Amino acid sequence: MASLKEKIGYALGDAAAGGITWKIMSIAFPLFFTNVFGLTVADTATLMLIARMFDVVTDPLMGSLADRTQSRWGTYRPWLIFGAVPLGLVFALLLYTPDFGIVGKRIYAYTLYLLMMAVYTAVNVPYGSLLGVMTDDDNEKNQFSSFRMVGAYAMGFITLLSFPYLQRMVGGSDAHQYAVLGAGFGVLAAAMTLACGFLTKERLKPIRAEKFSFRPFVDLFKNKPWIYLTLIGICTNFFNGFRYAVAGYLLEYCLHGDVTVSGLIINYTVFMTFGEVTCMIFGGVSPKFTEWVGSKRKAFSWAAIICLVSSVMFFFIPMDPSYIWVMVAIVIITSVGIGLYSPLLWSMYADVADYATEKNGTSSTGLIFSSGTMSQKFGSAISGALVALLLGMAGFISGTDADGQTVVTITNEESVKQMIWALFSLFPAIIALLIIFLIHKYPIQK
């Protein structure tokens, strides 16, 4: 049986990846690129779309490569141990705004963003795959998965809540603040990833294929549970991606900037922090909730229904700062659903990996978990790209002038505000409805 120390160690891996690097990339990057770094909305959208095409190739290749790794540290752990420092370093560089012109900034952003996706893949795909080799007990898998989600959401809570206060502490321009915080959070993410690599254990030996073959890739598309779960994973990340990517714009343009209530600064990161702490709590409750309703599929379905209803409710809240606590309350309710289904997703990937091993005779755990990481990046980045494109269509224009200064122009304020509001509520509601349909079709009954 795994120790509490190991479970905490495993949680540190997603505290770094999900709670720091990916959380900041999902919430801060769209607004950072358009309003601080100085990219146009078209450049921002294109950057994220190109990165997704890049991930379609790199994620499954990384999964297959990880499955075939043999070292003194195991199969998947060495990727965390040796990938920790590059992860933190590239993340820090990505939040730095160089004093370049329009073309130079574009080249810098594209190069660093693609490099960040590659390093993130090299660390996070093996990290997810660890769940398949640490234990063969289904309840313990749920516990590890729950610890993972609690770690991610707890660190996400700390990251987002502290962000505006750390910005004030650092001072200077917005670009300087992001650069300093990027360096600090990068060091912390590297340390947590390294700790995860050293504190976890690989107890099970993957049944390896003798040589590289494209057969595992072909087998994936014959694996019905994998197809449905991958679509579900993409949808859950679309759901989160729309909300996170547009949160900064919602506070800035719909509520006219940060809202201060009794000394508490509610900016876009703090606004989403209320959801993070809720996800952390209900991520811990998820295994018991699953036992209570009888199966992972039923638990996932109920969680998606909560997300659907609360997202529709948010749309009807008046667009006024005086309703900030009503908005926070709906964010909390939505996060109950997210917190319940998030651990289930990764536990279900472990079920699909077991199903594939039993059916095909060789392990493809890394390859299957890579689809989870790919769906995470695909859903978050495509939703971020769509947010940029749709805001541009509504009348939001950003860019860099001849002096290298960031310029933002809004040609139709009401249209932009309505688009932002719908992107935070109605678009996610449609995605939640699709999740309910897909989970009903998912064939594994555990």
Side-chain angles (χ1 to χ4, degrees), residues 32 37 91-99 108 175 178-179:
F32 168 73
F37 194 90
F91 176 75
L93 290 173
L94 191 51
L95 281 169
Y96 173 72
T97 303
D99 188 18
Y108 183 91
Y178 276 97

Side-chain angles (χ1 to χ4, degrees), residues 140-155:
E140 201 162 47
K141 284 179 184 176
N142 285 344
Q143 291 173 23
F144 269 114
S145 188
S146 182
F147 265 81
R148 171 184 182 167
M149 289 298 102
V150 171
Y153 286 123
M155 195 62 224

Side-chain angles (χ1 to χ4, degrees), residues 145-341:
S145 188
S146 182
F147 265 81
R148 171 184 182 167
M149 289 298 102
V150 171
Y153 286 123
M155 195 62 224
F157 168 76
I158 294 169
T159 300
L160 299 184
L161 182 62
S162 66
F163 208 88
Y165 299 97
L166 291 173
Q167 283 183 295
R168 285 194 173 189
M169 187 185 302
V170 171
S173 66
D174 288 344
H176 175 70
Q177 292 168 13
Y178 276 97
V180 172
L181 293 184
F185 280 117
V187 169
L188 187 57
M192 287 180 167
T193 302
L194 195 62
C196 176
F198 282 119
L199 291 174
T200 50
K201 297 178 182 178
E202 297 187 24
R203 295 176 177 81
L204 309 177
K205 296 291 184 183
I207 305 171
R208 305 178 193 276
E210 293 187 6
K211 59 182 180 179
F212 179 81
S213 169
F214 284 102
R215 180 182 170 186
F217 296 91
V218 176
D219 287 339
L220 276 183
F221 292 93
K222 298 178 182 178
N223 186 329
K224 189 175 179 181
W226 174 82
I227 292 171
Y228 277 108
L229 191 59
T230 298
L231 291 173
I232 291 166
I234 290 172
C235 286
T236 60
N237 285 288
F238 266 128
F239 182 87
N240 290 334
F242 278 120
R243 298 169 69 252
Y244 284 132
V246 82
Y249 298 99
L250 187 146
L251 265 292
E252 182 69 24
Y253 299 105
C254 296
L255 303 184
H256 314 295
D258 299 350
V259 179
T260 302
V261 183
S262 302
L264 175 65
I265 304 170
I266 303 180
N267 77 334
Y268 68 100
T269 62
V270 175
F271 184 66
M272 299 304 287
T273 295
F274 293 98
E276 293 298 302
V277 71
T278 306
C279 286
M280 176 183 69
I281 294 169
F282 282 87
V285 170
S286 182
K288 290 293 182 183
F289 178 73
T290 303
E291 288 181 25
W292 180 60
V293 299
S295 73
K296 296 175 187 177
R297 194 169 72 166
K298 288 180 181 178
F300 213 116
S301 182
W302 279 111
I305 290 170
I306 293 171
C307 292
L308 168 63
V309 174
S310 59
S311 296
V312 173
M313 289 170 62
F314 191 96
F315 181 75
F316 294 99
I317 302 173
M319 202 182 298
D320 190 297
S322 63
Y323 286 85
I324 187 66
W325 289 120
V326 179
M327 299 174 202
V328 167
I330 300 301
V331 166
I332 289 172
I333 294 171
T334 304
S335 299
V336 170
I338 298 170
L340 289 173
Y341 72 55

Side-chain angles (χ1 to χ4, degrees), residues 325-361:
W325 289 120
V326 179
M327 299 174 202
V328 167
I330 300 301
V331 166
I332 289 172
I333 294 171
T334 304
S335 299
V336 170
I338 298 170
L340 289 173
Y341 72 55
S342 293
L344 292 174
L345 187 67
W346 295 104
S347 180
M348 289 158 74
Y349 272 115
D351 295 337
V352 171
D354 291 343
Y355 171 88
T357 300
E358 183 179 337
K359 181 179 179 182
N360 302 321

Side-chain angles (χ1 to χ4, degrees), residues 367-429:
L367 182 59
I368 286 171
F369 272 91
S370 75
S371 62
T373 305
M374 184 178 70
S375 68
Q376 178 189 37
K377 292 189 287 185
F378 186 88
S380 297
I382 295 296
S383 56
L386 286 173
V387 164
L389 285 172
L390 291 169
L391 287 178
M393 291 170 61
F396 184 96
I397 301 171
S398 67
T400 301
D401 63 17
D403 297 323
Q405 300 299 309
T406 300
V407 179
V408 174
T409 305
I410 296 178
T411 60
N412 189 329
E413 183 177 354
E414 192 60 31
S415 174
V416 168
K417 289 166 64 175
Q418 289 297 330
M419 179 60 75
I420 291 170
W421 210 253
L423 283 166
F424 196 85
S425 55
L426 294 187
F427 280 72

Side-chain angles (χ1 to χ4, degrees), residues 20-35:
I20 297 178
T21 58
W22 197 256
K23 197 65 66 179
I24 292 175
M25 288 170 69
S26 298
I27 296 180
F29 272 24
L31 189 67
F32 168 73
F33 278 136
T34 59
N35 289 37

